[in-house]
Amino acid sequence: MKRKLTLKSIAKELGVSISTVSKALRDSPEISEETREKIKAYAKLYNYKPNNIALSLKNRKTNTIGVIIPQIVHHFFTTVIQGIEHEAREKNYNVIICLSNNDFDKEVLNMELLANGSTDGFILSVSKETMLKEDYHHLNEVIEQGMPVVMFDRVVEGIKCDRVLIDDKEGAKKGVTHMIRSGCRKIGIITSEDYVSVGRLRTEGYLDALDDFGIEPDDKRILKLDNIDDLSDKSKKRIEAFIIKNDLDGVFTVNELFAVHASRVISGLGKKIPEDISLVCFTDGQLSEHAVPSLTAVSQHGEEMGRKAAAMLIDKLERPEDEEEEYSTAYIDTSLVERESTKEVIKR
Amino acid sequence: MKRKLTLKSIAKELGVSISTVSKALRDSPEISEETREKIKAYAKLYNYKPNNIALSLKNRKTNTIGVIIPQIVHHFFTTVIQGIEHEAREKNYNVIICLSNNDFDKEVLNMELLANGSTDGFILSVSKETMLKEDYHHLNEVIEQGMPVVMFDRVVEGIKCDRVLIDDKEGAKKGVTHMIRSGCRKIGIITSEDYVSVGRLRTEGYLDALDDFGIEPDDKRILKLDNIDDLSDKSKKRIEAFIIKNDLDGVFTVNELFAVHASRVISGLGKKIPEDISLVCFTDGQLSEHAVPSLTAVSQHGEEMGRKAAAMLIDKLERPEDEEEEYSTAYIDTSLVERESTKEVIKR
């Protein structure tokens, strides 16, 4: 069987990056003329069709949505996918999912794979590496070819697409406000360094809540960890030290894993949750629900986010061609799920 | 844009099931001649190509694996997908994922969608509804067209394909044996009704372990719940009653959710884990790892299962065409992850 010539195989053969091949075939001035000519000659020789996206679009509508996510072993992403599926199904669309594994090249290849006649448009959350590289040519390419894109959760500016975001700041504010209303005054936050946008926004929400009640913030009560996605041994130790050395009556964490570990540390100190220390986390997943005590959590409504992203994409796909393009950002409201780790709000 | 004619649209237009359309186009004698003729005439009139699978196969190799799973908000399936991704990546294959949502029609449509030139072969775990209907024509169809299939976890007999299974019986036996060796003699099991094959096999493993140590089984110590996938209020009540009324020194559960609830009930009774009652569950996920106390668990090695399934499929795809077809079943070994919910094994 003959293998299909792909961006990847051209890149490998010519010893350049996938991104370079992709850009050269679109005649991007970022690539030197010599390299562009070489790549285009090779593509022509072996009959690579850079315009297959446009060709397939002219010929048919696939009624299929392509979804590209950075990782799959992640409760939040799976709930978003479930929402996309439900909305797509109601509107008679199929859904195809690919993973980037937080890898730029993989994300580019996935888009090439799906844009090649398999889908009408994309819903995606960009990979970490793509954000670091700030290289979004693959997104711009499919958009130029007439395939609409909706970005969710990890979104970037400067792309002609719709966006769906969670109101991280407001969500954190809700959680911290709830603790203050139930009597807490010395509330700490376990968050991430500011370069992780969700960490930064949730820290802002925490500070906003304190400010609303005239509580002076204290830098010692803010713990910023490097990694928000997993709970390393180093993070565990820092959480332990933070809770032991601070005199806290409430802890807000930006994810479930931090909260589960904080809960373990608090109990280990012989303190009671919520009587001595209240605990609220961002993200309402299985861990919050089944922890002992169960955790009051800010629900991100991942399924609703998926539904909204699919609805926005399908709306673009079914809009008359002569209508002017407009792009918008939708915010999904968070809500507080009250459980055993917080006290009752004090009635005034 | 012109919509593509699909099995679904033909079925809707003619008021028959998707399965009927699919079978009629293959001239299946299961369908009456009159219906067959009607469907074929309609398909011809609107230029539906039932043989596009074969056509696409003759023309090219996609280097893409199609994965169809029943649900995605499920830690085990996501780890299997991660394994498939890793193996595929190493061998230069792409992976496309579709969800059946445990729905027969959706599974058939997904296979049609992906078989239509997007993939070289399939890895799938069949939907509950497909198992109930016992209708596997869509699997047989792609296999006849030359696209190999590997089934995992929920597999069925009588299909020409490779299979990857977890050794459920052996896994349960390991968990129960560990409790016996650490001194438990009155061990209960929280499992499912026997028609759920994983529940039945894990119960068999429990009985085997008791038998090995000459411990008489006791029906009162076996709780069979209806649903293995979620923890309903009814199941919670039954777990509570089971633990309260039985005099147990060990509990084995066939999934994490049952164990997490059992742990809550045991602690609520003022009993200590593992000193008074040991606890072991099948499935090593986030809940087992982060529970307090953390749970000793039988790991299913989902990632390894995914890797094996992908390796078997790629092996079939890259085998010379004239080699004879052989099908095999691979068993993925389980292992016991010891944590806080069990005592140390007594040395003799």
Side-chain angles (χ1 to χ4, degrees), chain A residues 15-290:
Chain A
V16 295
S17 77
I18 287 165
S19 175
T20 299
V21 176
S22 172
K23 285 175 181 166
L25 292 173
R26 287 186 306 123
D27 241 344
S28 162
E30 280 179 56
I31 310 299
S32 76
E33 201 177 319
E34 192 190 331
T35 305
R36 259 188 282 160
E37 290 309 320
K38 188 170 75 179
I39 291 170
K40 288 199 287 186
Y42 184 89
K44 195 175 174 189
L45 182 64
Y46 290 99
N47 202 28
Y48 178 77
K49 292 188 186 64
N51 291 322
N52 42 18
I53 299 166
L55 283 172
S56 72
L57 260 186
K58 268 178 211 146
N59 293 335
R60 61 165 184 166
K61 191 166 186 304
T62 63
N63 267 43
T64 300
I65 295 171
V67 178
I68 300 177
I69 54 170
Q71 54 173 318
I72 198 153
V73 187
H74 198 299
H75 186 74
F76 170 67
F77 282 122
T78 62
T79 58
V80 174
I81 289 173
Q82 182 149 291
I84 294 171
E85 278 281 345
H86 287 169
E87 184 75 17
R89 184 158 204 197
E90 281 172 20
K91 294 186 175 162
N92 263 311
Y93 278 75
N94 308 303
V95 177
I96 279 181
I97 304 149
C98 284
L99 307 182
S100 67
N101 281 318
N102 272 316
D103 177 299
F104 172 75
D105 279 353
K106 190 84 198 290
E107 188 175 290
V108 173
L109 293 171
N110 280 337
M111 289 206 89
E112 186 203 17
L113 177 72
L114 297 186
N116 196 354
S118 297
T119 62
D120 298 334
F122 288 94
I123 295 174
L124 94 162
S125 186
V126 296
S127 80
K128 266 185 210 164
E129 208 191 347
T130 306
M131 292 189 100
L132 285 172
K133 274 181 182 268
E134 298 187 350
D135 183 344
Y136 308 114
H137 79 278
H138 50 307
L139 296 181
N140 291 324
E141 186 166 347
V142 296
I143 292 166
E144 275 168 34
Q145 305 271 9
M147 306 181 85
V149 169
V150 176
M151 299 181 90
F152 74 93
D153 195 48
R154 287 202 209 143
V155 309
V156 292
E157 295 302 312
I159 312 269
K160 288 183 182 168
C161 70
D162 290 326
R163 291 168 180 81
V164 190
L165 286 167
I166 284 160
D167 198 336
D168 284 287
K169 189 169 164 181
E170 195 59 33
K173 192 174 166 182
K174 271 180 199 160
V176 176
T177 299
H178 181 73
M179 282 194 277
I180 298 173
R181 287 210 172 122
S182 70
C184 301
R185 286 296 175 275
K186 297 173 286 182
I187 300 171
I189 181 170
I190 303 174
T191 180
S192 72
E193 292 292 350
D194 284 343
Y195 63 81
V196 181
S197 66
V198 296
R200 179 175 44 76
L201 290 166
R202 292 172 194 177
T203 307
E204 285 173 17
Y206 158 82
L207 293 170
D208 265 17
L210 296 186
D211 190 52
D212 276 1
F213 288 82
I215 301 171
E216 198 67 35
D218 180 346
D219 276 355
K220 288 200 302 292
R221 292 190 180 143
I222 299 176
L223 174 63
K224 292 183 180 176
L225 300 173
D226 296 333
N227 202 334
I228 196 169
D229 281 337
D230 68 299
L231 186 64
S232 64
D233 284 342
K234 189 181 156 202
S235 296
K236 280 186 180 176
K237 290 218 174 74
R238 291 188 64 196
I239 291 173
E240 280 160 36
F242 176 74
I243 291 173
I244 292 168
K245 80 168 182 228
N246 273 291
D247 173 31
L248 301 173
D249 59 12
V251 174
F252 182 80
T253 73
V254 297
N255 67 30
E256 281 189 311
L257 282 176
F258 294 174
V260 162
H261 194 63
S263 172
R264 188 175 264 268
V265 174
I266 294 167
S267 302
L269 291 172
K271 298 203 177 183
K272 281 198 177 342
I273 300 170
E275 293 81 355
D276 300 323
I277 302 183
S278 295
L279 189 53
V280 176
C281 68
F282 215 102
T283 307
D284 177 36
Q286 282 205 320
L287 287 174
S288 310
E289 187 183 347
H290 296 290

